[in-house]
Amino acid sequence: MTAFAIVLLAIAAAGFLFRLLRGPSLSDRVVGIDGLQSVVVIAIIVSAARSDSGITVETVLVAVLVGFVATTALSRFIERRGN
Amino acid sequence: MFFLLVLHLVVGIGITAGGRALGRQAFLVAAIAPLATVVWAASKASSVLDDRPVTDSFAWVEQLGISIDLRLDAFALVMVALVSGIGLLICVYSLGYFSHDQPGQARLAGILTLFAGSMLGVVLSDHLIALFIFWELTSITSFLLIGNGDTNARARAAAMQAIFITGAGGLAMLAGLIIIGQAGGTYRISELVLDPPSGGAVNAGLVLVLIGAFTKSAQAPFSSWLPAAMVAPTPVSAYLHSATMVKAGVYLVARLAPMFAMTGSWRTLVLVVGATTMLVGGLRALRQHDLKLLLAYGTVSQLGFMMLLFGAGEYHIAEAGIVLILAHGAFKAALFMVVGIIDHETGTRDIRELHGFGSATGWRVVKVVTVVSAASMAGLPPLFGFIAKEKALDGYLEHGDFAGGTAALVVIVLASILTFAYSARFVLGVLGVFGEPNREVMSVGAHSPSVLFAGPAVVLSIATVLFGLAPVLVDGVIEAATITLFPGSEPKPVELFAGFNTALLLSMVIIGCGVGLTLLRRPVADVQSRASAGLRAVPSTEQGYLAVLRSISVVATRVTATVQNGSLPIYLAVIVLTVTLVPLAAFASELDELPQFIETPTHVALVAVMIAAGLGACIVRHRIAAALMLGAVGYAMAGLYVAQGAPDLALTQFSIETLSTVLFVLVLRFLPRSWRHHAPAIAAPMRIAVAGAVGVAVFVFALSASNARSDVDEPSMSEVMIENSLPKGKGSNVVNVILVDFRGWDTMGEITVLLVAAIGAVSLARPGRRRDETGAPVFEEILDVGDEPKLPEALR
Amino acid sequence: MSVLLAFAAAFLFATGTYLLLQRRLSRILIGVGLIGHGSNILLLTSGSGRGLAPIIGTADPAAFADPLPQALALTSIVITFGVTAFLLALGYRSWRITHDDVVEDDVEDRFIARRRDRDQLVAEEEIAEREQARDEDRR
Amino acid sequence: MSSFVALPVIVPLLGAALAVLTSPWRWAQRVIALVALSSNVAFSVALLMSVDDGEMLVMQAGGWKVPLGITLIVDRLSAVMLVVSSLVMLSVLVYAIGQGAEESRYAAFNPVYLVLSAGVSASFVTGDLFNLFVAFEMMLVASYVLLTLGGRPGQVRSGMSYVVISLVASTFFIAALALIYSATGTVNMAELSERIPELSPGVRTGFSLLLILVFGIKAGLFPLFFWLPDSYPTAPGAITAVFAGLLTKVGVYAIIRSQTLLFPPDAQQGTFLLVLAGFTMVVGVLGALAQDDLRRMLSFHIVSHIGYMIFGLALFTIAGIAAAVFYVVHHIVVKTALFLVAGLIERRAGSDRLSRIGGLVRSAPMIAVLYALPALSIAGLPPFSGFVGKFALVGSGIESDEWAIVAVSLLVSLLTMYVMVRIWSGVFWGEAEDPAIAAWIESDDSRVPRLMTGAATAVVALTVALMVFAGPLYDYAQRTAADLLAPDRYVEAVIGDNE
Amino acid sequence: MTPSVRLPALVIWLTLVWALLWGDLGLASLLSGLGIAVFVVLVARPTGAHGIQITSFHPASALAFLVYFVVQLVKSNLQVAWEVITPWSNVNRAIVAVPLHVTTDGLATVIGNAITLTPGTLTVEVRSDGPDRPPVLYVHVLHFTDVDSLHRDVLRLERLAVRAFGTKEQRSELDRVVAEWPGRVADDEPDSTSTIEGGAP
Amino acid sequence: MNVVSGIFIVAGSALAMIGGIGAVRFRDLYSRMHAAAKAPTLGLVLVSIGAAIAIDTLLAATTLLLVVILQLLSAPVGAHALSRASRRHTPVALDGPDHLTRDEQANDRPADPA
């Protein structure tokens, strides 16, 4: 089950990675990395579920918390300097 | 004996440091040290001559065998007499030479005293390394003394030349001494004499030692520094560059020749070099107009003479050398003093500007001193110099039956003719014969020298005459000295007239030819200058020195400009290539099998992300975009951490990645989007090649290191850590326990690093409170020059 | 350590190196970041291999991932981050001064390179003096 | 006594923390820093005496036994390094206070300086390879901050190069650590000493080379030294002295330690090190010759002399290593002294460009003497400590029949002397060409603060002391070398302690 | 919420986050979290002037809001899925200005966020015309048909939000607006039949 | 792990995949944002629920709840911040790269700051 989920997530990661690499604007890349981050977070939760380990979940908490900060900072940058 | 050295040191430093108030009286104070030495040496003379040398020793670095062993034997006694006796006279002479108080005199007096101490150390040392130590000290003090008139660029250049050449020789010599010492098992000369080592290494060592001795004693081809050193004040020239320091090389040769003259190429080398030096020096002396340079080249020639005498390693010949050392010390110092007097009173040393000095008593005395000393130099009887020459000729005639002995004799005769000629030239020059009418006349009516000024030269002349007439006065010392050098030898007595022999005949020939050469001086000069013009293509030693200096300079600039090109990318390329490629072969040799290719499909996905984003980071042009690629790699890393069972790491990775991104954005937002074009320091294909090499290397490292794990039986540290985490660390999260407890010391350091980095970053990035006219904050540190003293405009 | 992960580390080292060899601080920083990731992969895989999070009580210790490399990697990540942050501050400062993030060549080194191009000598004074003295001597 | 081992790290760190808290009051910071560093001197001397008398002092940080925790160990080598470094740190601090420049202007100076001291000490006392990395980083990050204190354009430029190169070096160090752990399963040096010989020869050799090069970047070996001459001269005056004297030597220490302790004789890279040493010596001294700026000359010169130390190590004989240890100690003190004097010269003459100034021997004879002593020493002229070091090196080289390196070292010694003499001639002799500068130099002497001169004098006095006590020091170095060549004692001290 | 309620709430929230970050709901981590939270609150002194300010809270209505929100979220995802499978089906993107009726920033934020997570819409910008005037949202619409339906949907969301988190005045104000609005918006229950452009035609 | 949690997890992952595909296939920035802001968010929620069921401890559940709340708060805010920022710097053009048929914001804005 989780293996299947991982495959799905890999496809998702590929999609976002494509966006990150392809651009064309900086905002697009931010969309890409944001998505990538979400996918990694989801993947971590999936692996936590698989390995039954609660500790891994904390990682996710932090990731979600700080990921938002990065997006905001990047947005601020785009706002000031453009794409 | 140490008290003498310490006395010199104390007096020297005392005068240098506090002697300003003394003015020229500093030289009187300075005289204390040589005076004490002379008195002390005199008191020890009888026991020393009885073959009961005085010794003293101080172990400095025992494990290395460096100890300061002093030994006053008969030969040393001769040298001490020379060093301290002339030193004493020079001090007195300086009082006359420096007639006014000038700043810097005390410094000169102090360094002169230090030199005297060092020179004393050289001649008293019974230990090769101790000798070397004092030897180098004389080089240093000589450097300071030559450069005494430091505002004169020529003085500086001459000082540099002297220390460069003698320093180079000194280093060769150091290596040579070490080789000899290691081969002989001791550095103590008095022990080496008993059992001199031999062998290939010792031969090489001896050549090196000889190079050192040659440079110090201004032998060809290292002689160029000595004439250049004549820019020094005359007392210095008289003392260092004629009477004492330049004899250090000769002294060393004298000490070593009895042991090593038969070893390897010693004798050939010494004879060839000595002969060349003697001839070339004489020829060049003959062409000088500057009295001081004339003497300098004369000194070079005489030093070559001494090399010929001591280097042969024959005690009969060496005995002549001892006589020559003494005689030379007396007449050459006196002549230098005369030059100093003339220079000081008339302001010139050019023989074309001298027309005689009138008949003041002082000048008459000077003329007498000149004639007597020059005659001694020329080898006229009944002076001390004559005895030296006579003994030398006799020695080579009777005992020069070794290879090259006859050639040496011929050279001595030829060079002695030259010596006669330049001695005559000196005398005639002082007497005003060369004075040219179209030149400014400096000498006539010059103030006549004071008693103190002329006195020391007179004393030396008296010695020249006295020892010439009554050699028996020094006979005992010289014989004892010879026996010291050659234990068991039976030297002939020193006497003025040894009977009608071949040597006497040769002396007559020399004098006759010398007179002829002097009479024919004009045609000879013409021939010489034509020859010299023809020889211009042949590099002189001076040119050799300059070429060395120049090539050092060119090589230094080229190498530095190439290696240190100032470009960070190139530095980094060299560094990463070195670090990765050098160990590559070693690791690659162990890479015989590959581990499993893929552990889990998850890895494939994560690595794919890393690779794609990594490539993206290289390709994208936008800064932030590249930073985002890095971020993507970071997230993939976080994923990998989780996959490897390292959630704590993933957590950290997320936080750090995000923080980095934020910081990047914070900083990069200021940078212009479009930039001035800079040519890359390294072209892209080259960068790719370097990157590829690094990648391959890391790949190999990683695989062969992990293969190697199977070679080690012991468990890894972490197994113990897992066992102990709960019972001892009181924590179930092993990573946390490691960080907080087991390796808390690391964590303390890590926190410190973070804090310091934060302090640094804040202090760099924080603008000051001041604002400029547009209201923008001013970075105070950039502008703040603080309360440093206001510099003159030129220094900004 | 699998071949794949070794390759990943090597690849990160390579791309990082490629970026390092450029003049812009921003690129260099990204290069350093990549190399850092590469070395962390090496560190992480230096242990006993894949495993479960090493938390006592959650599983059999034999199945644990090696905890020590994790701790070491953590320390190194944090330290590298601190230094990177400082470097960024330097970059900012550089921008304040030059309005760019190019790491310029060292001025003094360029000066020496120019001297080489003009074949100037180091010990000019000494050589000139000695040459002059020699010429006088010759006359 | 073995609990003393951690003090040279902990005391400065505590001091740093206090100094941060007291940052509004400079006098308080000064008192703290001086007390911390003075007590460091005291601890270090105590450690040295205790270690020289008997056993190595081992402390397991936090009481965690091997292999749980981090081993801190002081043997003869560490002890002497601690003593010299603490002395140098203390005197330079006094000098910096006297200078009234960066130290007075920036509150960050004292704390960061103390961290630097802690980092240096930590590098010397650690018995754990990873902890060595952390210690390096403590030292380096402090050095970054100190180097760029003031943020002037030159500092920022060279600071970037310096930080980037150090960062890359650190990353490679981490990679090397990873590989070593991967192969052996430990990072404790004593355990490594036992396990590395079990590895296959290629891997052993590879690790040996890798560590030499990684540490070589910090030590400033050819061809890894480029960062050094570009960055050191831009640091604030007093700081350059510490950098020049100490930081590279920490790299040298790491090379000596790792080569002798970790690797069996067949993996020790004697020949390779000799080649590196030769190039390092030559290129460094040529670099120094090509410069006009006093501090740059001296900085290049550091590189050259690192070659000497490596030369001694590369022989892997007692005589060679003893010479290297002696040379390290000598060089730390003497180089620091030279840089401090260079600071005096700059303050007195307003510039440190040889082509612009001159004649200081008349206007500032005291500085001339202060320069002459260490300069003669570093040029290897007798009877100064540099001569003893050179003698020991050349002697051991000849003993081992390494003629090429002996020849190179002597040639370099000559060029070194030439450099020192050129500085002397340029700074102290002659006179400034520009009359304004000449007048400035002639004018009164009061602008060099007494405390600066005093501190410089103290370090110069230390160089003289090295000469006087060269005998005992060399004895000590020889005992150290014997220890280093027999790592069993070290391993026994660390691991035996466990039972 | 008055500060006397808000600050303790903040402390509790921070303590909880702290404890969860430590991955430990034990006494030690709760206590230390409490300490840190109190410290943070005392040091930071959040006055609420610039922060998001929720002025009131009604659990029942909030639940209604949540249910509506979740349903919308699911729906919006289905929509995106559909879009992904059949792209370019209805290329009619637009940015529409939607005036709000509430004046507090906090509510505007909640509404704006909810809009982003509801089908076919994405808040692009919030324009604030002054402290006392309601802000205007600019909404990016994937399938634009007409302005009115969009306004209506937002109003529905706004009303739910105000009922959940608004003050009494705000609620009555909203009721008034809704009453004035032509058409059916007053339904409390989410109505799947009259939403905005669900799916593709 | 039971079937229920498995279904949740697969569903969530599928949503994430849909977001990823959307990020590739949508032709303009805002549409891509629609995809990126919504799909992974719900995906995360679903996976969290699945994981909470699977792990079945109070701590994990609480943490995951917190994760969900934070994600629900932050995703739209991030998307909003990003879209606003892009909007300010993108030249207004109907039928331009953003494929807009109507842009009321352009009318309300006096001038384009870019």
Side-chain angles (χ1 to χ4, degrees), chain D residues 234-258:
Chain D
T234 60
I239 292 306
T240 319
V242 174
F243 284 11
L246 276 184
L247 294 203
T248 47
K249 257 60 97 203
V250 179
V252 174
Y253 166 85
I255 293 180
I256 295 180
R257 177 66 84 206
S258 59

Side-chain angles (χ1 to χ4, degrees), chain F residues 41-110:
Chain F
T41 306
L42 186 60
L44 189 98
V45 174
L46 293 183
V47 171
S48 300
I49 295 172
I53 296 170
I55 300 173
D56 199 23
T57 63
L58 175 62
L59 180 65
T62 330
T63 316
L64 283 170
L65 179 66
L66 197 60
V67 168
V68 167
I69 293 174
L70 283 172
Q71 177 71 11
L72 286 179
L73 282 177
S74 66
V77 173
H80 168 217
L82 186 60
S83 58
R84 184 177 73 160
S86 328
R87 195 61 197 140
R88 289 205 173 162
H89 275 278
T90 315
V92 179
L94 294 179
D95 289 327
D98 293 333
H99 307 283
L100 291 180
T101 50
R102 180 189 175 99
D103 188 352
E104 291 188 354
Q105 193 182 15
N107 307 336
D108 297 349
R109 255 197 313 197

Side-chain angles (χ1 to χ4, degrees), chain B residues 671-706:
Chain B
L671 294 169
R673 209 183 334 164
S674 58
W675 48 64
R676 284 177 287 142
H677 180 71
H678 272 263
I682 304 174
M686 197 62 210
R687 288 204 299 266
I688 293 172
V690 174
V694 170
V696 169
V698 171
F699 187 65
V700 171
F701 293 174
L703 291 180
S704 56
S706 83

Side-chain angles (χ1 to χ4, degrees), chain C residues 32-135:
Chain C
V32 170
L34 288 176
I35 292 185
H37 286 320
S39 69
N40 284 333
I41 292 187
L42 290 182
L43 205 47
L44 194 69
T45 54
S46 68
S48 48
R50 249 158 62 82
L52 298 172
I55 293 157
I56 309 288
T58 58
D60 173 23
F64 281 166
D66 197 336
L68 182 67
Q70 297 184 17
L72 303 187
L74 214 146
T75 308
S76 98
I77 290 175
V78 174
I79 286 179
T80 311
F81 166 72
V83 177
T84 310
F86 177 78
L87 196 49
L88 271 168
L90 259 185
Y92 173 67
R93 187 65 172 222
S94 165
W95 169 78
R96 299 280 321 191
I97 296 166
T98 64
H99 290 276
D100 207 344
D101 68 336
V102 169
V103 183
E104 305 274 357
D105 286 355
D106 192 84
V107 188
E108 289 279 338
D109 291 336
R110 300 319 302 168
F111 174 71
I112 288 167
R114 277 205 306 281
R115 208 167 61 195
R116 170 193 55 184
D117 298 342
R118 282 187 275 133
D119 239 357
Q120 271 182 334
L121 298 175
V122 181
E124 237 161 335
E125 189 195 337
E126 288 117 72
I127 294 176
E129 274 308 319
R130 295 305 318 145
E131 270 172 354
Q132 198 191 338
R134 190 193 58 197
D135 293 346

Side-chain angles (χ1 to χ4, degrees), chain D residues 195-480:
Chain D
R195 294 186 190 186
I196 284 180
E198 296 169 23
L199 296 172
S200 47
V203 175
R204 270 195 308 237
T205 313
F207 283 148
S208 176
L209 290 169
L210 199 55
L211 283 186
I212 288 175
L213 293 169
V214 165
F215 295 142
I217 300 177
K218 297 191 161 73
L221 284 187
F222 177 89
L224 315 163
F225 67 85
F226 314 112
W227 53 273
L228 191 155
D230 284 353
S231 56
Y232 279 9
T234 60
I239 292 306
T240 319
V242 174
F243 284 11
L246 276 184
L247 294 203
T248 47
K249 257 60 97 203
V250 179
V252 174
Y253 166 85
I255 293 180
I256 295 180
R257 177 66 84 206
S258 59
Q259 283 293 303
T260 54
L261 175 62
L262 302 188
F263 297 101
D266 72 326
Q268 289 168 344
Q269 300 298 319
T271 317
F272 176 66
L273 282 173
L274 277 181
V275 173
L276 283 191
F279 276 105
T280 309
M281 286 184 219
V282 173
V283 174
V285 81
L286 289 179
L289 267 172
Q291 310 297 320
D292 178 49
D293 177 307
L294 179 52
R295 283 214 259 168
R296 281 184 74 88
M297 285 176 111
L298 294 176
S299 298
F300 261 105
H301 206 261
I302 302 170
V303 175
S304 174
H305 277 215
I306 297 295
Y308 279 105
M309 303 160 202
I310 299 302
F311 159 30
L313 168 69
L315 300 174
F316 288 105
T317 59
I318 288 195
I321 294 179
V325 170
F326 184 93
Y327 212 90
V328 170
V329 172
H330 143 80
H331 195 254
I332 290 176
V333 175
V334 172
K335 201 79 209 187
T336 309
L338 274 177
F339 270 94
L340 292 184
V341 176
L344 296 183
I345 291 172
E346 196 181 1
R347 178 62 74 91
R348 183 68 182 78
S351 167
D352 60 358
R353 287 202 169 273
L354 263 50
S355 54
R356 293 172 131 198
I357 60 178
L360 255 69
V361 77
R362 274 162 277 122
S363 51
M366 181 68 184
I367 297 180
V369 172
L370 289 181
Y371 168 79
L373 295 175
L376 291 172
S377 183
I378 207 135
L381 287 172
F384 298 95
S385 52
F387 167 72
V388 179
K390 187 170 77 181
F391 179 83
L393 280 173
V394 170
S396 58
I398 290 174
E399 228 171 73
S400 306
D401 283 332
E402 298 288 353
W403 300 99
I405 194 77
V406 169
V408 169
S409 71
L410 288 173
L411 178 71
V412 170
S413 181
L414 174 67
L415 294 178
T416 301
M417 188 193 69
Y418 183 49
V419 171
M420 291 302 144
V421 169
R422 258 174 52 91
I423 294 176
W424 172 270
S425 172
V427 172
F428 295 101
W429 277 354
E431 48 198 348
E433 270 173 42
D434 189 305
I437 300 177
W440 167 258
I441 291 172
E442 286 303 316
S443 62
D444 82 309
D445 197 19
S446 57
R447 60 180 162 266
V448 183
R450 288 237 177 94
L451 204 51
M452 267 173 95
T453 319
T457 312
V459 182
V460 171
L462 211 53
T463 70
V464 176
L466 283 185
M467 170 186 94
V468 174
F469 299 109
L473 181 61
Y474 185 81
D475 283 359
Y476 183 88
Q478 218 169 26
R479 291 195 292 276
T480 309

Side-chain angles (χ1 to χ4, degrees), chain A residues 6 10 13-14 17 20-22 26 29-30 33-34 36-37 40-41 43-44 47-48 50 53 55-60 62-64 66-71 73-74 76-78 80-83, chain B residues 600 602 605-606 608-610 612-613 615-617 620 622 624-625 627-633 635-636 638-639 642-643 647-648 650-651 654-655 658 661-662 665 668-674 733:
Chain A
I6 293 287
L17 189 64
L20 171 67
L21 294 172
R22 185 65 177 44
L26 192 53
R29 295 186 203 273
V30 176
I33 191 132
D34 242 13
L36 201 60
Q37 192 244 4
V40 171
V41 165
I44 292 175
S47 90
R50 180 167 61 178
S53 86
I55 175 101
T56 318
V57 178
E58 286 166 44
T59 312
V60 174
V62 173
V64 171
V66 295
F68 165 66
V69 177
T71 311
L74 286 163
R76 291 278 297 164
F77 174 80
I78 294 170
R80 287 178 70 131
R81 295 289 305 280
N83 275 305
Chain B
T600 156
T602 318
L606 291 169
V609 172
M610 283 180 204
L615 277 180
V620 286
H622 197 294
I624 298 282
L628 291 183
M629 304 296 168
L630 179 62
V633 177
Y635 288 138
V642 171
D648 297 276
L651 192 150
F654 268 118
S655 321
T658 307
T661 311
V662 172
V665 170
L668 299 190
R669 74 195 150 123
F670 294 106
L671 294 169
R673 209 183 334 164
S674 58
N733 185 337

Side-chain angles (χ1 to χ4, degrees), chain A residues 1-2 4-5 8-9 11-12 15-16 19 27-28 31 41-42 45-46 49 52 57 60-61 64 68 75 78-80 82, chain F residues 1 10 13-14 16-17 19-20 23-24 29 32 36 44 47-48 51 54-55 64 70 74 77 81-82 84-86 88-89:
Chain A
M1 208 70 124
T2 48
F4 181 53
L8 296 179
L9 288 172
I11 297 172
F16 287 117
R19 192 40 68 202
S27 304
D28 283 303
V31 168
V41 165
I42 293 174
I45 301 179
V46 171
D52 229 15
V57 178
V60 174
L61 186 59
V64 171
F68 165 66
S75 307
I78 294 170
E79 204 167 326
R80 287 178 70 131
Chain F
M1 189 190 301
V10 170
S13 306
M17 179 191 72
V24 177
L29 173 66
R32 294 195 276 261
L44 189 98
V47 171
S48 300
I55 300 173
L64 283 170
L70 283 172
S74 66
V77 173
L82 186 60
R84 184 177 73 160
S86 328
R88 289 205 173 162
H89 275 278

